[in-house]
Amino acid sequence: MKYKRILLKLSGEALSGDQGYGINGEVLDQISDEVMTLNEMGVEVAIVIGGGNIHRGVAGATKGMDRTTSDHMGMLATIINSLALQDALERKGVYTRVLSAIKMQEICEPYIRRRAVRHLEKKRVIIFAAGTGNPYFTTDTAAALRANEIDADLIMKATKVDGIYDKDPVLHKDAVKFDELKYIEVLNRGIKVMDSAAISLCMDNDIEIRVFNMFEKGNIQKVVIGEQIGTKVVK
Ligand code: GTP
C-alpha cells in the first residue's frame, strides 16, 4: 500500500444522492462499503464530512442570515451526517468513533488529537464532526487541518467527476483532465475543487491531495495502492 493513513473528505451533498437534500440510504450504504473495504485493507481512515445536504453556511448568509449563525447551523449539519455515517458503518461491523470540534459529549466524543491518533492505531474509523468548530472555515479547511494534525499521508477528496478538468466536464465535451497539478496551479487557475485556505494549508505542509470519483467501484482501493486514478495535487 502506498498510503497507510488517509483522510477522506466527503461533501454533504454526496450523501443526498439524486434527491438533492437530506440523506439517501443507498448512497450511505455505498459509501460505507467503500470505507469498510479500506478498513479491511488495513488502511487507517479518518473522515471529514460536510453538511451542505442539510444546511450551507454561505448560502444562508447570502439570504441575509447572520454568517456566524448560519455557519453554526452548518456545523450542526455535519454532526447529523457524521452520526448517519457512523451508524451505517457500525451496521456493517466497522468500529468507528465520532470526534466533534464542538463539545456535545452526550452525543459523541470531543476532538482530542492524541485520542484520534490512538483510535486510528486501533484501526477504528474516525469521523471528524463540526468542521474546525469555527465559523468562516469550510469543511475542506477542516479536512486539511485534521490531515496535518494526524499526519495523514493523503487527503482523498471524493467528487462526482473523475478528477480536475481545465473546464467543467459536465458543460464542455472537450474538457481535458489533469493527471497531476501543483498546489500553486490550482490556486492560480482559481480551480474550485477545494477552497484556497485548504489548498494553502496542504501546500505549506506538503500533504498530497487526490481528487477522484468515489462512486466508481474499486477507485478508492486503486488510489490507496498507488494507481493513477483521478488528479493528484502535489508540490
Ligand atoms: P480505548 O480506550 O482506546 O479503548 O478507546 P475507547 O474509545 O474504546 O474508550 P472509551 O472508554 O473512551 O470509550 C468507550 C465508548 O464511549 C466509545 O464508544 C466512545 O466513542 C464513547 N465515548 C468516549 N468518550 C465519550 C464522550 O465524551 N461522549 C460520548 N458521547 N461518548 C464517548
Short mmCIF file of all heavy atoms in Angstrom, two decimals, residues 23-64:
data_model
loop_
_atom_site.label_atom_id
_atom_site.label_comp_id
_atom_site.label_asym_id
_atom_site.label_seq_id
_atom_site.Cartn_x
_atom_site.Cartn_y
_atom_site.Cartn_z
N ILE A 23 -30.44 12.78 3.55
CA ILE A 23 -29.53 11.63 3.49
C ILE A 23 -30.20 10.49 2.73
O ILE A 23 -31.29 10.06 3.08
CB ILE A 23 -29.15 11.19 4.91
CG1 ILE A 23 -28.40 12.34 5.63
CG2 ILE A 23 -28.28 9.94 4.87
CD1 ILE A 23 -28.23 12.14 7.12
N ASN A 24 -29.52 10.00 1.71
CA ASN A 24 -30.04 8.91 0.90
C ASN A 24 -29.41 7.60 1.41
O ASN A 24 -28.20 7.45 1.42
CB ASN A 24 -29.66 9.18 -0.56
CG ASN A 24 -30.09 8.09 -1.50
OD1 ASN A 24 -29.86 6.91 -1.27
ND2 ASN A 24 -30.71 8.49 -2.59
N GLY A 25 -30.26 6.70 1.85
CA GLY A 25 -29.81 5.45 2.46
C GLY A 25 -28.92 4.62 1.55
O GLY A 25 -27.92 4.05 1.99
N GLU A 26 -29.26 4.59 0.25
CA GLU A 26 -28.47 3.78 -0.68
C GLU A 26 -27.06 4.34 -0.85
O GLU A 26 -26.08 3.59 -0.89
CB GLU A 26 -29.14 3.76 -2.06
CG GLU A 26 -30.21 2.70 -2.18
CD GLU A 26 -30.99 2.84 -3.46
OE1 GLU A 26 -30.39 3.09 -4.52
OE2 GLU A 26 -32.23 2.71 -3.38
N VAL A 27 -26.98 5.67 -0.93
CA VAL A 27 -25.67 6.31 -1.08
C VAL A 27 -24.83 6.07 0.17
O VAL A 27 -23.65 5.74 0.10
CB VAL A 27 -25.83 7.83 -1.35
CG1 VAL A 27 -24.47 8.52 -1.39
CG2 VAL A 27 -26.58 8.07 -2.64
N LEU A 28 -25.47 6.19 1.30
CA LEU A 28 -24.79 5.98 2.58
C LEU A 28 -24.23 4.55 2.64
O LEU A 28 -23.10 4.33 3.08
CB LEU A 28 -25.81 6.21 3.70
CG LEU A 28 -25.29 6.48 5.09
CD1 LEU A 28 -24.41 7.71 5.11
CD2 LEU A 28 -26.47 6.68 6.04
N ASP A 29 -25.02 3.61 2.15
CA ASP A 29 -24.63 2.22 2.12
C ASP A 29 -23.40 2.02 1.22
O ASP A 29 -22.44 1.34 1.58
CB ASP A 29 -25.83 1.41 1.61
CG ASP A 29 -25.62 -0.07 1.82
OD1 ASP A 29 -25.34 -0.45 2.97
OD2 ASP A 29 -25.70 -0.82 0.83
N GLN A 30 -23.47 2.69 0.05
CA GLN A 30 -22.38 2.58 -0.93
C GLN A 30 -21.07 3.18 -0.35
O GLN A 30 -20.02 2.56 -0.43
CB GLN A 30 -22.80 3.39 -2.16
CG GLN A 30 -22.12 3.00 -3.43
CD GLN A 30 -22.62 3.87 -4.58
OE1 GLN A 30 -23.66 4.53 -4.51
NE2 GLN A 30 -21.86 3.89 -5.65
N ILE A 31 -21.19 4.35 0.26
CA ILE A 31 -20.01 5.00 0.84
C ILE A 31 -19.43 4.14 1.96
O ILE A 31 -18.22 3.91 2.03
CB ILE A 31 -20.36 6.41 1.37
CG1 ILE A 31 -20.68 7.36 0.20
CG2 ILE A 31 -19.21 6.98 2.22
CD1 ILE A 31 -21.18 8.73 0.61
N SER A 32 -20.30 3.61 2.81
CA SER A 32 -19.77 2.83 3.94
C SER A 32 -19.15 1.53 3.46
O SER A 32 -18.19 1.04 4.07
CB SER A 32 -20.81 2.62 5.03
OG SER A 32 -22.03 2.29 4.50
N ASP A 33 -19.64 0.98 2.34
CA ASP A 33 -19.00 -0.21 1.76
C ASP A 33 -17.56 0.09 1.36
O ASP A 33 -16.65 -0.71 1.62
CB ASP A 33 -19.75 -0.65 0.49
CG ASP A 33 -20.82 -1.68 0.81
OD1 ASP A 33 -20.76 -2.28 1.90
OD2 ASP A 33 -21.72 -1.87 -0.04
N GLU A 34 -17.37 1.24 0.72
CA GLU A 34 -16.02 1.63 0.26
C GLU A 34 -15.09 1.85 1.47
O GLU A 34 -13.94 1.43 1.47
CB GLU A 34 -16.07 2.90 -0.59
CG GLU A 34 -16.87 2.77 -1.88
CD GLU A 34 -16.28 1.79 -2.87
OE1 GLU A 34 -15.06 1.65 -2.93
OE2 GLU A 34 -17.08 1.14 -3.59
N VAL A 35 -15.63 2.51 2.49
CA VAL A 35 -14.82 2.78 3.70
C VAL A 35 -14.48 1.45 4.38
O VAL A 35 -13.35 1.24 4.84
CB VAL A 35 -15.57 3.72 4.66
CG1 VAL A 35 -14.82 3.86 5.98
CG2 VAL A 35 -15.77 5.09 4.02
N MET A 36 -15.45 0.53 4.40
CA MET A 36 -15.22 -0.78 5.02
C MET A 36 -14.07 -1.51 4.29
O MET A 36 -13.21 -2.12 4.93
CB MET A 36 -16.50 -1.61 4.97
CG MET A 36 -16.36 -2.95 5.65
SD MET A 36 -17.92 -3.82 5.77
CE MET A 36 -18.20 -4.24 4.08
N THR A 37 -14.08 -1.41 2.97
CA THR A 37 -13.01 -2.06 2.19
C THR A 37 -11.64 -1.52 2.60
O THR A 37 -10.70 -2.28 2.81
CB THR A 37 -13.23 -1.83 0.68
OG1 THR A 37 -14.56 -2.22 0.37
CG2 THR A 37 -12.26 -2.61 -0.16
N LEU A 38 -11.55 -0.20 2.73
CA LEU A 38 -10.27 0.40 3.13
C LEU A 38 -9.86 -0.11 4.51
O LEU A 38 -8.70 -0.46 4.75
CB LEU A 38 -10.38 1.93 3.21
CG LEU A 38 -10.39 2.72 1.91
CD1 LEU A 38 -10.35 4.21 2.24
CD2 LEU A 38 -9.20 2.35 1.04
N ASN A 39 -10.83 -0.14 5.41
CA ASN A 39 -10.59 -0.60 6.78
C ASN A 39 -10.08 -2.05 6.77
O ASN A 39 -9.13 -2.39 7.48
CB ASN A 39 -11.88 -0.43 7.58
CG ASN A 39 -11.73 -0.80 9.04
OD1 ASN A 39 -12.24 -1.81 9.48
ND2 ASN A 39 -11.03 0.03 9.80
N GLU A 40 -10.69 -2.88 5.92
CA GLU A 40 -10.28 -4.28 5.83
C GLU A 40 -8.88 -4.43 5.22
O GLU A 40 -8.17 -5.38 5.51
CB GLU A 40 -11.30 -5.07 4.99
CG GLU A 40 -12.58 -5.35 5.77
CD GLU A 40 -13.69 -5.93 4.91
OE1 GLU A 40 -13.55 -5.97 3.67
OE2 GLU A 40 -14.71 -6.33 5.48
N MET A 41 -8.52 -3.46 4.36
CA MET A 41 -7.17 -3.49 3.76
C MET A 41 -6.11 -3.08 4.79
O MET A 41 -4.92 -3.16 4.53
CB MET A 41 -7.09 -2.50 2.59
CG MET A 41 -7.82 -2.94 1.33
SD MET A 41 -7.98 -1.55 0.17
CE MET A 41 -6.36 -1.47 -0.54
N GLY A 42 -6.57 -2.59 5.94
CA GLY A 42 -5.61 -2.17 6.98
C GLY A 42 -5.24 -0.70 6.89
O GLY A 42 -4.32 -0.26 7.59
N VAL A 43 -5.92 0.04 6.02
CA VAL A 43 -5.64 1.48 5.90
C VAL A 43 -6.29 2.19 7.09
O VAL A 43 -7.42 1.87 7.49
CB VAL A 43 -6.25 2.04 4.59
CG1 VAL A 43 -5.96 3.54 4.45
CG2 VAL A 43 -5.72 1.28 3.39
N GLU A 44 -5.58 3.14 7.67
CA GLU A 44 -6.16 3.93 8.75
C GLU A 44 -6.97 5.06 8.12
O GLU A 44 -6.43 5.86 7.34
CB GLU A 44 -5.05 4.48 9.66
CG GLU A 44 -4.31 3.35 10.35
CD GLU A 44 -3.13 3.80 11.21
OE1 GLU A 44 -2.82 5.00 11.23
OE2 GLU A 44 -2.53 2.92 11.86
N VAL A 45 -8.25 5.09 8.45
CA VAL A 45 -9.16 6.01 7.76
C VAL A 45 -9.76 7.03 8.71
O VAL A 45 -10.40 6.68 9.71
CB VAL A 45 -10.34 5.24 7.09
CG1 VAL A 45 -11.19 6.21 6.25
CG2 VAL A 45 -9.84 4.09 6.24
N ALA A 46 -9.57 8.30 8.37
CA ALA A 46 -10.26 9.39 9.06
C ALA A 46 -11.14 10.06 8.02
O ALA A 46 -10.80 10.13 6.84
CB ALA A 46 -9.23 10.39 9.60
N ILE A 47 -12.30 10.51 8.45
CA ILE A 47 -13.25 11.11 7.51
C ILE A 47 -13.67 12.49 8.00
O ILE A 47 -13.91 12.69 9.20
CB ILE A 47 -14.52 10.21 7.38
CG1 ILE A 47 -14.14 8.81 6.90
CG2 ILE A 47 -15.54 10.85 6.44
CD1 ILE A 47 -15.28 7.80 6.89
N VAL A 48 -13.73 13.43 7.07
CA VAL A 48 -14.37 14.71 7.35
C VAL A 48 -15.54 14.82 6.40
O VAL A 48 -15.39 14.59 5.19
CB VAL A 48 -13.41 15.91 7.15
CG1 VAL A 48 -14.17 17.23 7.18
CG2 VAL A 48 -12.33 15.92 8.23
N ILE A 49 -16.68 15.12 6.93
CA ILE A 49 -17.87 15.20 6.09
C ILE A 49 -18.49 16.59 6.18
O ILE A 49 -18.50 17.19 7.25
CB ILE A 49 -18.86 14.05 6.47
CG1 ILE A 49 -20.01 13.99 5.49
CG2 ILE A 49 -19.38 14.16 7.88
CD1 ILE A 49 -20.67 12.64 5.44
N GLY A 50 -18.97 17.08 5.04
CA GLY A 50 -19.61 18.40 5.01
C GLY A 50 -21.05 18.32 5.48
O GLY A 50 -21.50 17.28 5.96
N GLY A 51 -21.76 19.41 5.34
CA GLY A 51 -23.15 19.44 5.81
C GLY A 51 -24.12 20.05 4.81
O GLY A 51 -25.28 20.30 5.12
N GLY A 52 -23.62 20.28 3.57
CA GLY A 52 -24.39 21.01 2.57
C GLY A 52 -25.71 20.37 2.15
O GLY A 52 -26.57 21.04 1.58
N ASN A 53 -25.89 19.08 2.45
CA ASN A 53 -27.16 18.42 2.13
C ASN A 53 -28.25 18.84 3.11
O ASN A 53 -29.43 18.56 2.90
CB ASN A 53 -26.99 16.90 2.17
CG ASN A 53 -26.39 16.42 3.48
OD1 ASN A 53 -25.56 17.09 4.08
ND2 ASN A 53 -26.83 15.28 3.95
N ILE A 54 -27.85 19.49 4.20
CA ILE A 54 -28.82 19.93 5.22
C ILE A 54 -28.81 21.44 5.33
O ILE A 54 -29.86 22.10 5.27
CB ILE A 54 -28.50 19.26 6.58
CG1 ILE A 54 -28.60 17.73 6.45
CG2 ILE A 54 -29.46 19.78 7.68
CD1 ILE A 54 -28.04 16.96 7.62
N HIS A 55 -27.62 22.01 5.49
CA HIS A 55 -27.53 23.48 5.56
C HIS A 55 -26.15 23.94 5.13
O HIS A 55 -25.15 23.39 5.56
CB HIS A 55 -27.80 23.97 6.99
CG HIS A 55 -27.78 25.46 7.09
ND1 HIS A 55 -28.85 26.24 6.76
CD2 HIS A 55 -26.79 26.31 7.44
CE1 HIS A 55 -28.53 27.52 6.91
NE2 HIS A 55 -27.29 27.59 7.32
N ARG A 56 -26.13 24.97 4.28
CA ARG A 56 -24.86 25.55 3.84
C ARG A 56 -24.70 26.92 4.47
O ARG A 56 -25.57 27.78 4.27
CB ARG A 56 -24.84 25.75 2.33
CG ARG A 56 -24.72 24.51 1.54
CD ARG A 56 -24.41 24.78 0.07
NE ARG A 56 -23.36 23.88 -0.34
CZ ARG A 56 -22.08 24.16 -0.29
NH1 ARG A 56 -21.66 25.31 0.12
NH2 ARG A 56 -21.19 23.27 -0.66
N GLY A 57 -23.62 27.10 5.22
CA GLY A 57 -23.40 28.37 5.91
C GLY A 57 -23.41 29.57 4.99
O GLY A 57 -24.11 30.56 5.22
N VAL A 58 -22.67 29.46 3.87
CA VAL A 58 -22.56 30.60 2.96
C VAL A 58 -23.91 30.91 2.32
O VAL A 58 -24.31 32.08 2.21
CB VAL A 58 -21.51 30.30 1.85
CG1 VAL A 58 -21.39 31.46 0.88
CG2 VAL A 58 -20.16 30.00 2.48
N ALA A 59 -24.64 29.85 1.94
CA ALA A 59 -25.93 30.07 1.28
C ALA A 59 -26.90 30.80 2.21
O ALA A 59 -27.63 31.70 1.79
CB ALA A 59 -26.52 28.72 0.85
N GLY A 60 -26.89 30.43 3.49
CA GLY A 60 -27.76 31.11 4.47
C GLY A 60 -27.40 32.57 4.57
O GLY A 60 -28.28 33.45 4.59
N ALA A 61 -26.08 32.85 4.56
CA ALA A 61 -25.62 34.23 4.71
C ALA A 61 -26.03 35.08 3.51
O ALA A 61 -26.38 36.25 3.65
CB ALA A 61 -24.10 34.24 4.90
N THR A 62 -26.01 34.46 2.30
CA THR A 62 -26.39 35.25 1.12
C THR A 62 -27.89 35.59 1.15
O THR A 62 -28.33 36.50 0.48
CB THR A 62 -26.07 34.52 -0.21
OG1 THR A 62 -26.69 33.24 -0.16
CG2 THR A 62 -24.58 34.35 -0.42
N LYS A 63 -28.64 34.85 1.93
CA LYS A 63 -30.09 35.16 2.04
C LYS A 63 -30.36 36.09 3.21
O LYS A 63 -31.49 36.23 3.66
CB LYS A 63 -30.89 33.86 2.19
CG LYS A 63 -30.93 33.05 0.92
CD LYS A 63 -31.78 31.82 1.12
CE LYS A 63 -31.58 30.83 -0.04
NZ LYS A 63 -31.61 29.45 0.41
N GLY A 64 -29.30 36.67 3.76
CA GLY A 64 -29.49 37.68 4.80
C GLY A 64 -29.28 37.19 6.22
O GLY A 64 -29.33 37.96 7.17
#
